[in-house]
Amino acid sequence: MSDHIVLEAKNLKKIYNYHTLNAFEALHSINFQVMDGDFVAIMGPSGSGKSTFINTISTIDVPTEGRVYINGKDVRTMSENDIGRFRYQNLGFIFQDFNLLDTHTMFENIAMPLSLAHVDRQEIAERVQKLAEEMDIAELMNKFPYECSGGQRQRVAICRALINHPHLIMADEPTGNLDSANSAELMNILKNLNESGVTIVMVTHDPLISSYSSRMIYIKDGNIEKDLARGEMSQDEYFQKIVEMNSAESREILHK
Ligand code: ADP
């Protein structure tokens, strides 16, 4: 890990239904930094603000207050068009429900970020083919998502996230719809990517999935409550620590 900051959130606040009687502050002035090469797992109880947090730091949603800097660039100063281009050039997204378009073939789904960035068709074909071969899904390229299994769809979604060689990957419950074998496979892919230098920020409620990260932050009621670095711990020790931390927090909620 280097001392270069890839992502920084400053006083990040999200208020839903702002200016209404139903106003709800889902994030309370969060400060957060992700260093180059980090693999951050975001945990916390349901409704604590994890999705809101990952959406606002990854340009999908706009914070009510505060700033997000990605590679030093203030996202708020960019136009909608600029943000779109910035996303295709810098970020990879992996979602729980894969977010593949059912009316598009697997090839077209993977090619999407390149098509949107107007990359040359020949280059798109070559890059998709190469990545599909690496991920062992070349034979699925002419199929539609509904013709494939969950594990295959997730691999296609990973290819789509990787096709633009992003430096930063955002994943929201990426194993949420996978069985344990496919989850383990996905986590090994993410771990290898991280070891090759890609920075990852991932939401998960599962301590085992979280134990693949190098740092775990625990969000509660819209605040970062805990920030745990794996440091020299083995994956097993780190896993135990994450389990303990989660159960201590759960017990606190139970006894409130
Ligand atoms: P988590 O991902 O940890 O389950 P969320 O970020 O989805 O939590 O939600 C945090 C809080 O914000 C919850 O209380 C939720 O009800 C509220 N919330 C989320 N999205 C909206 C929305 N679009 N409008 C109003 N409230 C929302």
Side-chain angles (χ1 to χ4, degrees), residues 125-145:
E126 285 167 11
R127 278 169 66 175
V128 173
Q129 180 66 22
K130 185 165 177 280
L131 189 56
E133 277 168 17
E134 280 169 20
M135 294 286 282
D136 213 12
I137 49 169
E139 76 285 359
L140 302 179
M141 289 303 96
N142 293 322
K143 294 202 176 212
F144 290 89

Side-chain angles (χ1 to χ4, degrees), residues 37 53-54 64 75 107 112 114 120 123 128-129 149 159 163 168 186 188 191 196 206-207 214 226-227 236 240 247-248:
F53 184 54
I54 198 164
T64 313
V75 174
F107 176 92
M112 190 72 67
L114 300 181
D120 172 72
E123 188 184 335
V128 173
Q129 180 66 22
S149 70
C159 287
I163 194 70
L168 176 59
L186 171 64
N188 282 319
K191 191 165 148 239
S196 73
D206 183 337
S214 56
K226 299 256 159 51
D227 194 334
D236 202 27
Q240 292 299 337
S247 57

Side-chain angles (χ1 to χ4, degrees), residues 45-58:
S46 177
S48 58
K50 302 180 295 296
S51 293
T52 304
F53 184 54
I54 198 164
N55 287 345
T56 46
I57 60 175
S58 65

Side-chain angles (χ1 to χ4, degrees), residues 25-195:
E25 192 167 310
L27 300 177
H28 311 297
S29 295
I30 289 188
N31 289 296
F32 176 65
Q33 287 184 341
V34 179
M35 311 306 278
D36 190 22
D38 240 344
F39 185 167
V40 184
I42 300 171
M43 301 192 80
S46 177
S48 58
K50 302 180 295 296
S51 293
T52 304
F53 184 54
I54 198 164
N55 287 345
T56 46
I57 60 175
S58 65
T59 76
I60 290 180
D61 201 357
V62 183
T64 313
E65 278 176 31
R67 301 272 168 150
V68 175
Y69 302 86
I70 301 179
N71 289 332
K73 191 135 176 62
D74 183 348
V75 174
R76 211 162 75 177
T77 61
M78 291 188 239
S79 67
E80 267 301 308
N81 270 345
D82 286 350
I83 289 181
R85 196 171 322 113
F86 183 80
R87 250 182 234 144
Y88 304 130
Q89 287 170 350
N90 296 280
L91 305 177
F93 293 94
I94 305 176
F95 304 93
Q96 172 172 8
D97 51 9
F98 317 132
N99 274 15
L100 298 174
L101 295 173
D102 258 340
T103 52
H104 288 54
T105 64
M106 293 310 213
F107 176 92
E108 290 162 343
N109 269 288
I110 297 174
M112 190 72 67
L114 300 181
S115 307
L116 289 166
H118 305 295
V119 174
D120 172 72
R121 282 174 67 152
Q122 181 63 30
E123 188 184 335
I124 292 180
E126 285 167 11
R127 278 169 66 175
V128 173
Q129 180 66 22
K130 185 165 177 280
L131 189 56
E133 277 168 17
E134 280 169 20
M135 294 286 282
D136 213 12
I137 49 169
E139 76 285 359
L140 302 179
M141 289 303 96
N142 293 322
K143 294 202 176 212
F144 290 89
Y146 55 82
E147 297 179 293
C148 300
S149 70
Q152 289 173 326
R153 273 181 277 165
Q154 185 59 296
R155 275 174 186 234
V156 169
I158 295 165
C159 287
R160 182 189 52 193
L162 298 182
I163 194 70
N164 56 353
H165 305 303
H167 198 61
L168 176 59
I169 289 186
M170 301 286 187
D172 192 353
E173 295 277 6
T175 61
N177 281 328
L178 297 178
D179 58 24
S180 56
N182 279 309
S183 295
E185 194 186 35
L186 171 64
M187 292 321 295
N188 282 319
I189 293 171
L190 291 182
K191 191 165 148 239
N192 289 337
L193 276 171
N194 178 243
E195 280 166 8

Side-chain angles (χ1 to χ4, degrees), residues 221-246:
D221 299 332
N223 290 304
I224 296 183
E225 187 90 4
K226 299 256 159 51
D227 194 334
L228 172 74
R230 175 167 167 181
E232 298 300 312
M233 278 183 258
S234 68
Q235 186 172 359
D236 202 27
E237 289 164 341
Y238 185 45
F239 169 69
Q240 292 299 337
K241 192 101 187 162
I242 292 168
V243 170
E244 277 163 29
M245 214 172 246
N246 274 272

Side-chain angles (χ1 to χ4, degrees), residues 3-27:
D3 55 4
H4 171 69
I5 299 169
V6 174
L7 188 149
E8 180 162 32
K10 281 193 179 163
N11 299 317
L12 197 69
K13 194 180 265 196
K14 180 70 185 180
I15 305 174
Y16 287 113
N17 305 317
Y18 198 37
H19 293 312
T20 75
L21 289 174
N22 294 326
F24 178 79
E25 192 167 310
L27 300 177

Side-chain angles (χ1 to χ4, degrees), residues 193-209:
L193 276 171
N194 178 243
E195 280 166 8
S196 73
V198 178
T199 305
I200 301 174
V201 179
M202 166 187 78
V203 168
T204 181
H205 65 270
D206 183 337
L208 185 61
I209 299 301

